[in-house]
Each structure stands twice: as structure tokens, then as C-alpha cells.
Amino acid sequence: MNQNSEKRQFRVQGFTCSGCAAKFEKNVKELAGVQEAKVNFGASKLTVYGDISIAELEKAGSFENLKLTPEKQLLEVKKEPFLQRNWRIFVSALLLLTGWITGHGWGEENIAVIFYVSSILIGGYRLFRAGFMNLFRLQFDMKTLMTVAVLGAAAIGEWGEGAVVVILFAISEALETYSMEKARQSIRALMDIAPREALIRRGQEETLVPVEEIQIGDVMIVKPGQKLAMDGVVIKGTSAINQSAITGESVPVTKSVNDEVFAGTLNEEGLLEVRVTRTVEDTTLAKIIYLVEEAQAEKAPSQAFVDRFAKYYTPAIMLLALCIVVVPPLFFQGEWSEWIYRGLALLVVGCPCALVISTPISIVTAIGSAARKGVLIKGGIHLEQAGALSVIAFDKTGTLTRGVPEVTDYLVLHEQNQEEVLRIAAALEKGSQHPLASSILRKVEQEGIDYKQIQVDDFTSVIGKGIRAKVQGEEFFIGSPSYLKELLPLEMNQEIESQIDKWQKQGKTVMVLGTTSQLLLLIAVADEVRKSSKAVLQELHKIGIKKTIMLTGDNHATAQAIGESLGIKEIKSELLPQNKLEYIKSLRKDGSHVAMVGDGVNDAPALAASTVGIAMGGAGTDTALETADIALMADDLHKLPFTIRLSRRTLQIIKQNITFSLGIKILALLLIVPGWLTLWMAIFADMGATLLVTLNSLRLLKTKE
């Protein structure tokens, strides 16, 4: 792709089927000035690289009368009543009924034909417009099949049956359009969550400002009962915030000063002042919507199979129908009219509507349903793979535990000044991003010790081990006991090792502060196990996960204590990020489907190497949203069993849909040979299959947590 080519995205209104979306994409690619184009049928979006006007793009979609709107522009969706949108079907049906009464009731066959022809022309206007265009271009899709079938019926004098075919096909298309709109509503509901304007205070003035004009740093006033329009940080006030739209959490979360809040969430109680931290395009809600829409464009393996199958299936049906029409009359003295009729019936029943829609509607519905419950699945392939998982590996800190460690004990060595060594420990940890660092800072602040004035030089983080830095020219180290033991093997005497061992057996993580000549301080930190962890692990085993594993960089004794309390039998401790990566790779060598559940930051390599990488607490965490295949937006493991159940149910429904739609075709084909299948029965069978496949897929909206 030429990096200089402009990327533009549009929302598309008017798609009736996936075949039409594919045709529109092909037409756009052929336009002058377009380097590349991609249509996302699930989200009704077009991505174009190149310099092209909306008028030219709409001209490429004129066969469907498509309307385009720039993605950033507010899209006003006009809800037309079903009768108004599909008036041609009702008029066509009325003309068909009148023709039938005229012909069969009054015996006026010639007049009846006029009504039938009118019914065909009005009901099949859009069908014929696309069908004839396809015939001229030798493109064979569903509309081509139907056009040939109706023309053939008219040619042999079956005007009434031709009209029935037109009406039933139009109904089938209307149902397909309705079902995709229903599936897309899950995304549209997300788009409508956040308000389009917010009360902003600039200086002494408070004014309502459209979200597009709100800038980073603006102060947003949010009253009780109002939704937040932007992401930000609370600078004044305390309130309960309902975050279910973003994280799926049913219980409101208390937010106060310095807490992060998200666009689309509901302020239930107090008055809040929020400093805006992201523009409207970058809010967590905007990212979720974008990723959900992109996920729906990613084809699952089953969908890719159906698409490949349909590519060869339609021409094969055309060829088979031609053989049925020609072979019996030429070689077996069959009646031309009779075998033409059977060939037309084959064209009608061979229409792959149900088959083509069977997979995408299931994927779109499942991904949209998951997003509304706080689970972001970034593609159909990940949705399918989640259902096949047999092994799940968990990071400990922040996943199985709360990830908010607290200092429980500390021991000053060699009669050092307690306040001084704590001050140095805090000064060193001030520059660290490790979760344990914040616990030491909190403890020192609670003790009332000022550490911020200490100058730290040559700060170096030794990944998986600790920190080294200079304070007033002297080199200090703080980190795991094994790290300090490497540096000062003689200082780690039996008494100190005994104390470390005692704390570790209690499930605490121990850190040691020292210089190049002596140890100064032992610090014990404990991270509380999540209340939900044990219940979730038990539920995972109940639904068929064969093995759960805990991976941690923590010491063996601490990991063992936490693992045993949770009932995890396989525990791997003292692992660096590359060790986690290698272990995940080894688990996959025997063909097992392995998930890695972590925080999406230091677990990124292991998340990428697993079959499915699952990030915890994705709300507001860019790394989690970008790294993982699936993000649990709330800090809640309960969403994990739900995700696996949803995946398995989706796979089950896809298989049911494919089996049913192919089964109906095979049965109908068998009925054609003895001449039992009429044209209207063929189209009714196809319409029935489409309807049942659609309703079966929409059951995914009801999947319970």
C-alpha cells in the first residue's frame, strides 16, 4: 500500500446481502484513483485508500442505491416502517392474488397474465436490475439465478409461479436485511451510549459544547443522573458510576479524586468535575466500537470455508440446471417444457441465501453481544478458537490476585537507621513501574517519611530481578532475594534466609534492599487473592477446561501458597517474561489450544504466543486492547467462562446453520428428479431455510453470563 495514499472510511446504508457488499467492493476497486478498498459488511463500513469523492463511490453502489456518510459525521438513521420500506412486496402480493382470483375464479386467463406480469415487474424491480447487469457481465450470484428462473418460468407460460418466486425472494431478502440490522444494533447501541455534548467550564463560564469541540484539559461538569460524554480523571467530587456499558459490571463503582472515568458511563449520585484526558476519537468507548467493527470484518475459519464453497457452488448449480434442461430431451425423449421447469426449480432451490448468511450473522451477533457484556473479541477466528481451548495459563499479579499489593512486614538489618533505609527504598522505587513499587511508596507515605527530595542517579531496571541506582554517589540495589544473593552471597546468612522463607510460606513476596557491601532492609508484600478467582477456576473445569496453570515471576514459596489456596496444581514461579513465552510455546507443541490470561503489559509476549491471548481489565488500558485477542473490559474473571460458553454456542449454531441449509438443498434436489418440486415450493424452502438460520443465529443475543 502506498503510504502517501489517503485512508478514508465511510458508513454505508442500503446493503441487502453479503453478495451485494462484495460486488460494491469490486466496483470501488475498479474506480480511477482508488488504490485499495475493503467493505466490512457486518459493520456496514467502507475503507478506501485514494482520492475519491462520495458521489463517485455512490455511483459504484447505484445498483443497490447505496448511500455513504463519512465515518466521523453523525449518522442519522431513519427508521422506516417495514411496510413503507417493503411496499413493493405488498403491492406485488396483492396483484398476484388478484391474478389468481381472475384466472381460477372467473376463468379470465389473459387478464390474469396481465396481473401476474405486473406483480413480477413491481416485486422484482430491484432483482431484475441487478440480475440483468450480472448476466451481461457473466457474473453468477443469487440474483442471477433468480432472474434466469423467473424469465424461464415466463417463457414456458408459468406466469403465476414466476410471480410467486419474485415475491418469496423479495421476502427472503427483506428478512436477511432485517436480521443483519438486528445484529448490527448491538454496535449502534454502543454508538448511542455517550451523549453528543457536555457541560464544559472554561474560565468562569459553563456552556454546552459538542463532543467534537471538547479539548484535552477541559473541565467537564457531570450532574447526578447524567452520562459522561468523554474519558477523564475526577478532579472534584465523589459518586457511584455505573460502568456496565463499558465493562459489563452490574454493580456501580465508587469514583473519587484521581480516579479514571469513561465516556458512556452513568453518574448515579454526586456532582463530579472531570478533567478530559482524551479526544472523542480516542475515548475507550470509541476504541471499543472501532475494534468491534474491525472484528466483524475478520472472517472466521468457518466463514472462510462457506465463502470458498459458495464461490464454486453457484456456477456448479447453473451448470447442473443446464444439464437437467438439455440432457433428458436430447437423449431420452423428455418433454422440453417439463425439463425446463425442473431446471428452473433447481436454480431456485440452489440459491445459496441461507448458506451465505449462516456464518456472518452468527459471528456479528456473538461479537456484538459479547461487547455489550464487557467482553471485547477482536475477530471471528478468536471467537472460534476460544471454544476449542483445553489449557488456560494465568498470570498471578493483577489476574488471580487483585494486583494492589500492600507492605505487611519489614525488617531493618545491621542496626541501620530505619527512617533512612525506608527513605532510600522509596526513592529507588519511585522510578519503577512494577506493581510492588507502589506498595512501598504508600507504606513510606503512611509513615510520614519524605523521600521525594532524594536525588537518584543512574537508575536501571533489571527486568524480572529488581533495580540498581546511585544515591549520593553510593550504589544501591533493591529486588528479589535471588538477585541480591547473586550480588552479595556471603551477606545472605541463615538467619536472613530463614526470615525470608517464613514470609514466603505465608504467601508474601519479599524484597531486599542493599548496597555493594551489605544488606539493609527486608520488605514483605502481600497481594490479596481475588474473591472470584477460586469459583471461576472451578467453573472452568466444570465446562471442560482440562488444565489451569499459574505463571508468575514471584518466588516459589509465595506462588505455591497462593496456588494451593486456589486449587491450582500446576504452578510455575520465578519466571521472566521470556520464560513465560517459552512455557506457552511448549504447551502448544502437542497441538493443545492454550489461552494466556494476563494484564496485557508485561505479559505481551506470552499473550501473543498463545492460541488466544486474554487481557484483564481492558477498560482504559491501550496495551491490553492492542495486544490481546480478547479483552475482559472489567477487572472480573467471571467474564472468562461466559466467553468460552458464548464461543462454543456460536460454533454449535454455525454448524447447525450450515448443516440445515445444505440439508434442505440436498432434500429439494432429490425431489426435483421425480418432478415433485414446484417453483414456489423451491423458493419457499429457500426462504424458510434463510428465516430459520437467521432466527437460530439471533439466539446468541440471549446468551447468559
Side-chain angles (χ1 to χ4, degrees):
M1 181 63 60
N2 183 353
Q3 291 184 347
N4 296 323
S5 61
E6 184 185 359
K7 177 184 176 182
R8 300 169 69 195
Q9 291 189 308
F10 303 90
R11 300 205 172 273
V12 186
Q13 289 177 280
F15 281 141
T16 56
C17 65
S18 56
C20 308
K23 184 177 176 182
F24 177 54
E25 182 181 285
K26 183 173 180 291
N27 289 352
V28 172
K29 284 179 178 178
E30 291 171 354
L31 292 173
V34 172
Q35 281 88 47
E36 185 56 77
K38 184 180 179 183
V39 169
N40 179 341
F41 175 59
S44 279
K45 279 173 66 176
L46 168 69
T47 302
V48 178
Y49 291 87
D51 185 19
I52 194 83
S53 68
I54 289 183
E56 289 175 285
L57 292 171
E58 288 185 343
K59 190 175 178 182
S62 59
F63 67 97
E64 276 277 283
N65 198 27
L66 301 178
K67 298 297 177 189
L68 277 74
T69 311
E71 187 189 29
K72 297 283 191 281
Q73 185 176 317
L74 183 62
L75 179 64
E76 293 291 340
V77 180
K78 294 179 181 177
K79 293 187 177 179
E80 287 184 282
F82 187 83
L83 181 61
Q84 184 180 332
R85 190 168 49 181
N86 298 288
W87 64 270
R88 291 179 185 276
I89 297 174
F90 294 96
V91 172
S92 182
L94 187 62
L95 288 168
L96 172 66
L97 181 62
T98 306
W100 186 85
I101 293 171
T102 305
H104 289 77
W106 303 338
E108 298 289 343
E109 290 294 337
N110 292 332
I111 297 175
V113 169
I114 295 171
F115 282 111
Y116 289 145
V117 171
S118 303
S119 174
I120 290 170
L121 292 175
I122 291 172
Y125 170 73
R126 292 179 64 181
L127 165 66
F128 296 140
R129 191 176 61 176
F132 282 124
M133 208 176 290
N134 289 347
L135 276 173
F136 290 132
R137 293 174 180 171
L138 296 178
Q139 294 175 348
F140 302 109
D141 63 6
M142 290 174 277
K143 290 183 177 176
T144 314
L145 294 181
M146 291 299 107
T147 301
V148 172
V150 174
L151 289 175
I156 60 173
E158 296 289 347
W159 295 100
E161 294 215 20
V164 171
V165 168
V166 164
I167 292 168
L168 291 178
F169 182 75
I171 293 171
S172 180
E173 269 207 325
L175 289 171
E176 186 177 339
T177 303
Y178 170 79
S179 62
M180 284 306 296
E181 282 299 311
K182 186 79 175 170
R184 289 182 189 124
Q185 276 176 12
S186 54
I187 302 176
R188 199 164 291 132
L190 286 174
M191 291 178 181
D192 295 338
I193 285 171
R196 302 304 305 173
E197 57 184 13
L199 185 62
I200 297 294
R201 187 174 67 226
R202 290 172 178 164
Q204 299 302 314
E205 280 191 37
E206 293 182 3
T207 53
L208 279 173
V209 179
V211 289
E212 291 80 11
E213 297 175 17
I214 297 174
Q215 301 167 0
I216 293 172
D218 279 343
V219 175
M220 180 170 63
I221 313 297
V222 190
K223 297 175 182 178
Q226 289 185 337
K227 285 186 177 181
L228 281 78
M230 307 289 286
D231 283 11
V233 173
V234 177
I235 58 172
K236 187 177 179 182
T238 300
S239 183
I241 301 290
N242 186 331
Q243 300 188 141
S244 59
I246 302 293
T247 65
E249 297 168 283
S250 55
V251 179
V253 179
T254 301
K255 299 282 185 176
S256 55
V257 175
N258 293 329
D259 285 337
E260 190 175 14
V261 288
F262 309 115
T265 57
L266 176 67
N267 178 21
E268 292 196 342
E269 294 172 354
L271 179 70
L272 291 178
E273 292 188 14
V274 177
R275 189 174 303 283
V276 175
T277 56
R278 291 174 177 170
T279 59
V280 68
E281 297 90 359
D282 293 327
T283 63
T284 300
L285 179 62
K287 287 176 183 172
I288 291 170
I289 292 167
Y290 174 77
L291 290 169
V292 169
E293 291 185 332
E294 291 302 301
Q296 293 179 337
E298 293 293 324
K299 290 185 178 177
S302 56
Q303 187 175 346
F305 159 75
V306 168
D307 288 349
R308 285 196 306 271
F309 182 83
K311 184 179 177 182
Y312 300 106
Y313 170 85
T314 306
I317 288 290
M318 294 282 288
L319 189 61
L320 185 57
L322 183 63
C323 291
I324 285 179
V325 169
V326 173
V327 172
L330 284 182
F331 300 102
F332 302 102
Q333 289 80 48
E335 287 285 334
W336 279 99
S337 59
E338 181 186 340
W339 286 100
I340 287 173
Y341 185 88
R342 293 187 191 184
L344 295 175
L346 175 62
L347 285 182
V348 172
V349 81
C351 179
C353 293
L355 182 63
V356 169
I357 201 176
S358 62
T359 304
I361 192 171
S362 302
I363 298 293
V364 169
T365 304
I367 289 175
S369 177
R372 290 170 67 185
K373 290 181 170 68
V375 179
L376 184 60
I377 302 172
K378 292 169 64 176
I381 186 169
H382 308 306
L383 177 67
E384 287 199 12
Q385 286 173 335
L389 292 174
S390 57
V391 180
I392 301 181
F394 294 88
D395 175 47
K396 178 180 75 69
T397 307
T399 302
L400 294 172
T401 62
R402 289 180 60 237
V404 187
E406 297 293 342
V407 173
T408 57
D409 310 89
Y410 61 88
L411 178 65
V412 178
L413 306 172
H414 302 304
E415 298 181 353
Q416 299 289 327
N417 181 299
Q418 175 178 305
E419 187 172 317
E420 185 61 25
V421 292
L422 285 172
R423 182 181 286 113
I424 291 170
L428 294 176
E429 292 289 10
K430 184 174 67 173
S432 173
Q433 296 297 315
H434 197 281
L436 298 181
S438 57
S439 65
I440 294 174
L441 297 179
R442 282 195 300 273
K443 182 66 177 176
V444 171
E445 286 169 358
Q446 286 168 11
E447 299 270 340
I449 299 170
D450 180 21
Y451 61 89
K452 294 177 182 177
Q453 305 304 318
I454 293 182
Q455 180 69 36
V456 177
D457 301 310
D458 299 337
F459 179 93
T460 306
S461 177
V462 184
I463 295 175
K465 294 183 177 181
I467 294 166
R468 64 190 302 163
K470 286 183 179 178
V471 175
Q472 295 177 349
E474 185 176 7
E475 193 164 32
F476 286 86
F477 304 87
I478 185 168
S480 66
S482 59
Y483 177 43
L484 271 291
K485 198 170 184 178
E486 286 176 23
L487 300 168
L488 297 166
L490 298 177
E491 273 290 304
M492 200 69 77
N493 60 43
Q494 190 172 352
E495 185 181 342
I496 292 174
E497 287 198 1
S498 175
Q499 183 61 60
I500 290 171
D501 188 54
K502 177 185 173 185
W503 281 342
Q504 287 178 342
K505 283 181 178 175
Q506 294 171 359
K508 298 171 183 177
T509 299
V510 180
M511 289 182 288
V512 186
L513 172 69
T515 66
T516 51
S517 59
Q518 64 177 340
L519 301 178
L520 304 175
L521 176 70
L522 301 182
I523 306 173
V525 176
D527 186 6
E528 186 182 346
V529 173
R530 292 181 188 274
K531 292 177 182 177
S532 62
S533 293
K534 190 169 185 177
V536 167
L537 290 165
Q538 289 172 345
E539 190 177 352
L540 287 171
H541 286 294
K542 277 183 187 175
I543 63 175
I545 300 300
K546 294 175 184 174
K547 188 160 60 172
T548 51
I549 304 161
M550 186 171 80
L551 307 181
T552 179
D554 217 335
N555 68 81
H556 182 69
T558 302
Q560 199 70 33
I562 290 174
E564 285 176 3
S565 71
L566 293 172
I568 298 176
K569 293 177 182 175
E570 195 165 336
I571 300 158
K572 299 293 176 184
S573 55
E574 299 180 6
L575 300 178
L576 298 173
Q578 60 263 36
N579 301 137
K580 291 182 182 181
L581 171 64
E582 292 303 320
Y583 187 70
I584 292 293
K585 285 181 177 178
S586 69
L587 286 172
R588 294 193 64 186
K589 277 182 181 174
D590 64 356
S592 297
H593 289 78
V594 182
M596 173 69 193
V597 186
D599 60 13
V601 182
N602 55 6
D603 295 315
L607 287 169
S610 58
T611 312
V612 181
I614 302 172
M616 279 282 290
T621 310
D622 292 345
T623 312
L625 292 176
E626 289 162 12
T627 307
D629 303 316
I630 296 174
L632 310 180
M633 301 306 289
D635 232 9
D636 183 7
L637 274 176
H638 277 118
K639 303 290 180 185
L640 186 53
F642 158 74
T643 305
I644 293 171
R645 284 198 306 272
L646 176 68
S647 169
R648 289 177 179 173
R649 195 163 184 228
T650 304
L651 282 171
Q652 187 181 26
I653 283 177
I654 287 171
K655 286 174 184 173
Q656 288 171 358
N657 287 349
I658 292 172
T659 303
F660 180 75
S661 48
L662 285 177
I664 286 284
K665 304 295 178 195
I666 293 167
L667 178 62
L669 288 172
L670 293 174
L671 293 176
I672 285 173
V673 178
W676 296 344
L677 192 74
T678 62
L679 276 177
W680 70 267
M681 284 172 61
I683 189 65
F684 195 76
D686 183 71
M687 187 189 73
T690 302
L691 180 59
L692 288 172
V693 160
T694 298
L695 293 174
N696 196 31
S697 298
L698 292 177
R699 286 167 53 213
L700 289 165
L701 291 171
K702 304 294 183 184
T703 304
K704 294 180 180 178
E705 292 185 48

